[in-house]
């Protein structure tokens, strides 16, 4: 990689190429789709560890009204040298002025690579389409060339977009062949066989994995996401063979070879022919044993992956998995804004964050005014960075508050009176009333009607949530505060298993005894009244 250097006012300046990432995401957390197109970038030349760090992904722009190509106009004019553009397959077609899967020129042959497109030919084809006299002739030329005539400022870049938009591994491999094959297998199995596969996966040793399959495979296999298929790809040949035909076993074995070199940390240029032969062997295996998958575009696109690895290095350097997770930060800033000018609010929030990051990481605008060492040390903690980004990082043990959020992130539910929000270790027993008087900083999860009783509470270090998870003292958790209609409370009690600990039982016993005394007194008073007063 050639890095340019120059002098600016006597200070050496180094220009490093960048990688652009573009994607669409929803600005809502609900199922209602609110499309936001965004552009981000990261510096090239970083190590693998730093390349996957969300701190090194930087926001450029986002909008739910301006098309993605229109937002690219200032990128072409002002951005540093661009090495490549990473995106999913539909966005890659849009960036390259291609019609995508709707054109007959997308695939020349299923198991072969045709004539590769290039920038000069695309510009000539666009000029010919724009010179068409009628709308019918324009549509016919677009279908013939497979090219869109929409204005594309990215074609003004010095790079060839057709060669510098590498194959996106997440959607092309994990959410492509692996999803097709696994769904087809699980769809034809019986309920008993699905449960057997679930038992096989549960008994599999995940000691060498970063995580395990978090879902019930037999029930939720249609809802698997990329990380689930990534784990499944590594254990499929150990779990699935009893349920596969010999032809399907051949396809899974060939696909596992492709997965191995795609997620390898190193790449040897002299091995590119071997990688091409492995991709070709997989497509031939699909053609022989799974002919229904012949027309799947993602299987054909895998043939182009070795060429991209030869140009840009291992596939891990241009994957979009970490960049996809950055969409959560964009979505979070839109949710907690007033929605009047969402693109401006998102950009302003990121600009403030970048300024804080620059100062707190040791940067300065004036050599005499710098932040102290303790502030720099505090900023480097994962909790502070996670708070500023508005999401949970992999190094955090517990999720943190989102800035401006009212809700709590924890999902574990606890019964009333079983845990404290803020607790220090206290020896022995103490009554609720004296606790509230002497320790006002403590907050006990009890309804107000029980807080006045002199109930003895035994303090511990942890409790058990309604989903049987351990809730330690000081953890964030959701709890039922008794509000809402009687029907809703009954539904909540029916949905979540109640945990009856000593604190809750004693509080309920005191409350029931008090209510019983009131009912007894009311009954005696009623019986003592004369009959004429009752009427």
């Amino acid at each position: 990689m050639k890095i340019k250097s120059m002098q600016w006012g006597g200070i050496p300046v180094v220009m490093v190429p960048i990688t652009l990432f573009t994607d669409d995401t929803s600005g809502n957390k609900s199922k209602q789709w609110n499309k936001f197109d965004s552009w981000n970038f990261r510096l090239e030349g970083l190590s693998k560890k730093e390349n996957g760090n969300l701190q090194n992904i930087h926001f450029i722009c986002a909008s739910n009204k301006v098309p993605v190509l229109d937002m690219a106009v200032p990128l072409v004019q002002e951005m540093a040298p661009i090495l490549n553009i990473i995106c999913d397959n539909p966005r890659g077609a849009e960036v390259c002025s291609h019609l995508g899967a709707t054109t007959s020129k997308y695939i020349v042959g299923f198991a072969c690579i045709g004539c590769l497109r290039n920038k000069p030919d695309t510009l000539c084809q666009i000029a010919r389409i724009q010179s068409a006299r009628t709308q019918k002739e324009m549509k016919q030329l677009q279908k013939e060339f497979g090219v869109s005539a929409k204005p594309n400022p990215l074609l003004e870049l010095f790079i060839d977009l057709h060669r510098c938009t590498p194959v996106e591994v997440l959607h092309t491999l994990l959410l492509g062949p692996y999803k097709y094959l696994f769904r087809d297998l699980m769809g034809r199995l019986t309920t008993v066989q699905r449960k057997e596969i679930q038992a096989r996966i549960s008994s599999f040793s995940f000691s060498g994995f970063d995580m395990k399959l978090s879902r019930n495979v037999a029930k939720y296999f249609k809802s698997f996401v990329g990380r689930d298929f990534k784990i499944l790809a590594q254990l499929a040949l150990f779990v699935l063979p009893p349920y596969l035909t010999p032809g399907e076993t051949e396809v899974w074995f060939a696909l596992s070879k492709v997965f191995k070199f795609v997620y390898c940390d190193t790449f040897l240029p002299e091995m590119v022919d071997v990688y091409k032969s492995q991709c070709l062997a997989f497509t031939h295996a699909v053609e022989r044993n799974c002919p229904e998958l012949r027309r799947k575009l993602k299987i054909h696109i895998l043939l182009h992956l070795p060429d991209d690895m030869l140009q840009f290095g291992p596939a891990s350097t241009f994957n979009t998995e970490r960049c996809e997770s950055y969409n959560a930060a964009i979505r979070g800033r839109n949710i907690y804004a007033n929605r009047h000018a969402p693109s401006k609010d998102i950009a302003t929030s990121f600009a403030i964050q970048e300024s804080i990051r620059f100062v707190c990481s040791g940067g300065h605008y004036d050599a005499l005014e710098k932040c102290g060492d303790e502030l720099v040390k505090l900023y480097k903690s994962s909790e502070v960075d996670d708070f500023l980004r508005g999401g949970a990082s992999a190094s955090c043990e517990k999720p943190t508050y989102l800035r401006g959020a009212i809700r709590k992130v924890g999902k574990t539910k606890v019964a009333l009176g079983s845990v404290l929000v803020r607790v220090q270790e206290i020896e022995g027993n103490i009554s609720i009333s004296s606790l509230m008087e002497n320790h006002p900083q403590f907050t006990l999860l009890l309804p107000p009607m029980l807080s006045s009783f002199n109930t003895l509470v035994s303090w511990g270090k942890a409790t058990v949530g309604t989903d049987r998870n351990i809730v330690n003292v000081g953890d964030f958790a959701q709890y039922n505060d008794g509000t809402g209609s009687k029907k809703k409370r009954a539904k909540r009690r029916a949905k979540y298993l109640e945990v009856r600990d000593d604190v809750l039982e004693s509080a309920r016993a005191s409350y029931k005894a008090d209510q019983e005394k009131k009912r007894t007194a009311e009954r005696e008073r009623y019986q003592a009244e004369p009959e004429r007063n009752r009427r």
Side-chain angles (χ1 to χ4, degrees):
M1 182 185 300
K2 187 176 180 180
I3 300 178
K4 297 181 180 180
S5 61
M6 59 185 70
Q7 293 285 332
W8 181 80
I11 303 175
V13 178
V14 178
M15 296 186 64
V16 182
I18 63 172
T19 291
L20 291 178
F21 170 73
T22 176
D23 192 20
D24 57 344
T25 185
S26 177
N28 300 339
K29 286 225 170 185
S30 62
K31 292 184 178 179
Q32 184 178 4
W33 180 254
N34 182 16
K35 181 181 177 181
F36 270 78
D37 290 314
S38 62
W39 284 94
N40 308 312
F41 80 94
R42 68 184 181 195
L43 295 177
E44 283 299 323
L46 300 175
S47 62
K48 180 187 175 183
K49 180 179 179 181
E50 296 297 331
N51 195 27
N53 193 343
L54 290 181
Q55 291 185 356
N56 296 319
I57 301 176
H58 305 277
F59 173 84
I60 301 177
C61 57
S63 176
N64 59 342
K65 295 182 180 180
V66 182
V68 63
L69 292 180
D70 292 346
M71 287 191 292
V73 175
L75 302 184
V76 176
Q77 301 172 352
E78 301 180 11
M79 292 301 291
I82 298 173
L83 182 65
N84 55 19
I85 301 176
I86 56 177
C87 50
D88 56 16
N89 296 327
R91 181 54 55 85
E94 186 177 1
V95 165
C96 296
S97 294
H98 200 272
L99 293 181
T102 61
T103 175
S104 59
K105 300 292 288 186
Y106 196 82
I107 296 180
V108 177
F110 172 73
C112 63
I113 298 178
C115 181
L116 298 178
R117 303 172 67 213
N118 56 68
K119 183 177 178 180
D121 292 345
T122 300
L123 292 175
C124 293
Q125 293 169 355
I126 292 176
R128 185 175 174 184
I129 294 172
Q130 292 175 345
S131 63
R133 298 180 179 180
T134 62
Q135 192 73 16
K136 182 178 179 181
E137 183 183 358
M138 179 180 294
K139 291 183 178 179
Q140 185 177 359
L141 289 175
Q142 285 182 345
K143 186 176 181 180
E144 179 183 352
F145 296 142
V147 174
S148 173
K150 294 180 180 179
N152 187 355
L154 295 174
L155 292 174
E156 300 176 9
L157 295 172
F158 69 94
I159 61 175
D160 189 347
L161 293 176
H162 308 296
R163 298 297 305 275
C164 296
T165 50
V167 174
E168 199 263 330
V169 176
L170 174 62
H171 293 84
T172 306
L173 182 64
L174 298 179
L175 299 178
Y178 276 109
K179 184 176 73 172
Y180 303 149
L181 294 172
F182 188 65
R183 283 191 178 182
D184 180 68
L185 171 64
M186 298 295 290
R188 68 172 187 266
L189 294 181
T190 63
T191 304
V192 176
Q193 290 174 326
R194 291 180 183 178
K195 291 182 178 179
E196 290 178 357
I197 291 180
Q198 175 64 36
R200 284 173 169 266
I201 294 177
S202 300
S203 60
F204 193 84
S205 175
F206 289 90
S207 59
F209 291 78
D210 295 334
M211 58 180 296
K212 58 176 66 176
L213 283 176
S214 58
R215 300 167 183 254
N216 188 323
V217 177
K219 187 176 181 181
Y220 301 109
F221 66 91
K222 291 185 178 180
S223 302
F224 274 16
V225 294
R227 62 175 178 270
D228 298 320
F229 285 111
K230 191 174 183 179
I231 299 174
L232 181 67
Q234 301 174 66
L235 55 87
L237 293 180
F238 302 97
V239 175
L240 302 181
Y243 310 95
L244 300 174
T245 63
E248 291 173 339
T249 304
E250 179 187 358
V251 174
W252 278 92
F253 190 77
L255 183 58
S256 298
K257 289 185 176 180
V258 176
F259 178 86
K260 178 183 176 181
F261 81 78
V262 167
Y263 282 95
C264 186
D265 293 337
T266 58
F267 176 78
L268 301 177
E270 55 269 18
M271 294 290 290
V272 65
D273 293 333
V274 178
Y275 298 154
K276 288 183 178 180
S277 64
Q278 291 177 352
C279 292
L280 196 61
F282 168 66
T283 56
H284 286 314
V286 170
E287 194 170 14
R288 288 192 303 268
N289 304 293
C290 303
E292 67 275 8
L293 301 179
R294 283 190 75 253
R295 301 301 297 175
K296 294 293 186 180
L297 301 179
K298 294 179 180 179
I299 297 179
H300 169 79
I301 293 175
L302 285 175
L303 297 175
H304 298 267
L305 184 57
D307 292 329
D308 292 332
M309 295 176 66
L310 182 63
Q311 182 176 1
F312 298 109
S316 59
T317 60
F318 53 82
N319 64 24
T320 62
E321 296 177 13
R322 297 302 291 169
C323 295
E324 289 272 358
S325 61
Y326 197 73
N327 289 337
I330 300 176
R331 186 183 307 113
R333 281 160 174 77
N334 178 62
I335 289 175
Y336 303 115
N338 56 16
R339 311 293 182 91
H340 292 171
S343 58
K344 179 182 177 181
D345 294 339
I346 294 172
T348 302
S349 177
F350 275 108
I352 295 174
Q353 173 189 320
E354 291 294 336
S355 300
I356 296 175
R357 176 180 297 179
F358 173 74
V359 174
C360 294
S361 59
H364 57 87
Y365 300 99
D366 187 352
L368 300 178
E369 297 182 0
K370 297 174 60 177
C371 63
D373 296 336
E374 293 297 327
L375 182 58
V376 174
K377 183 179 179 181
L378 177 64
Y379 175 77
K380 291 181 179 180
S381 63
S382 58
E383 290 79 5
V384 174
D385 178 70
D386 181 62
F387 176 80
L388 291 175
R389 283 192 295 105
S393 62
S395 58
C396 295
E397 296 181 357
K398 295 289 181 182
T400 59
Y401 274 111
L402 298 177
R403 183 169 58 177
I406 300 177
R407 64 180 180 84
K408 294 174 182 177
V409 184
K411 296 182 179 180
T412 300
K413 296 182 180 293
V414 296
L416 294 177
S418 59
V419 73
L420 296 178
V421 177
R422 298 174 58 189
V423 179
Q424 296 177 358
E425 194 171 346
I426 300 178
E427 298 292 340
N429 297 332
I430 189 172
S431 65
I432 296 178
S433 56
S434 61
L435 172 69
M436 296 301 178
E437 294 175 0
N438 302 326
H439 304 278
Q441 73 273 20
F442 295 155
T443 306
L444 185 62
L445 303 188
L446 281 176
M449 58 185 175
L450 299 183
S451 60
S452 60
F453 295 147
N454 193 23
T455 306
L456 292 180
V457 181
S458 179
W459 299 102
K461 295 183 179 179
T463 186
V464 181
T466 54
D467 54 358
R468 302 296 180 88
N469 287 333
I470 298 296
V471 181
N472 294 309
V473 166
D475 288 351
F476 294 109
Q478 300 175 3
Y479 65 95
N480 184 359
D481 57 359
T483 59
S485 64
K486 184 181 295 184
K487 185 176 180 181
K488 289 184 179 180
R489 292 200 299 271
K491 185 182 293 185
R492 242 179 280 176
R493 286 196 296 270
K495 186 176 180 181
Y496 298 103
L497 185 65
E498 292 185 358
V499 180
R500 297 177 174 270
D501 56 0
D502 297 336
V503 180
L504 189 60
E505 286 298 332
S506 59
R508 283 180 174 174
S510 300
Y511 178 70
K512 289 180 179 179
D514 184 67
Q515 292 296 316
E516 186 63 30
K517 289 181 181 179
K518 289 183 179 180
R519 284 193 293 268
T520 303
E522 183 67 23
R523 193 181 305 113
E524 293 176 352
R525 186 187 64 81
Y526 179 79
Q527 293 176 355
E529 288 182 355
E531 186 175 353
R532 62 177 181 273
N533 293 341
R534 298 180 199 171
R535 293 178 183 175

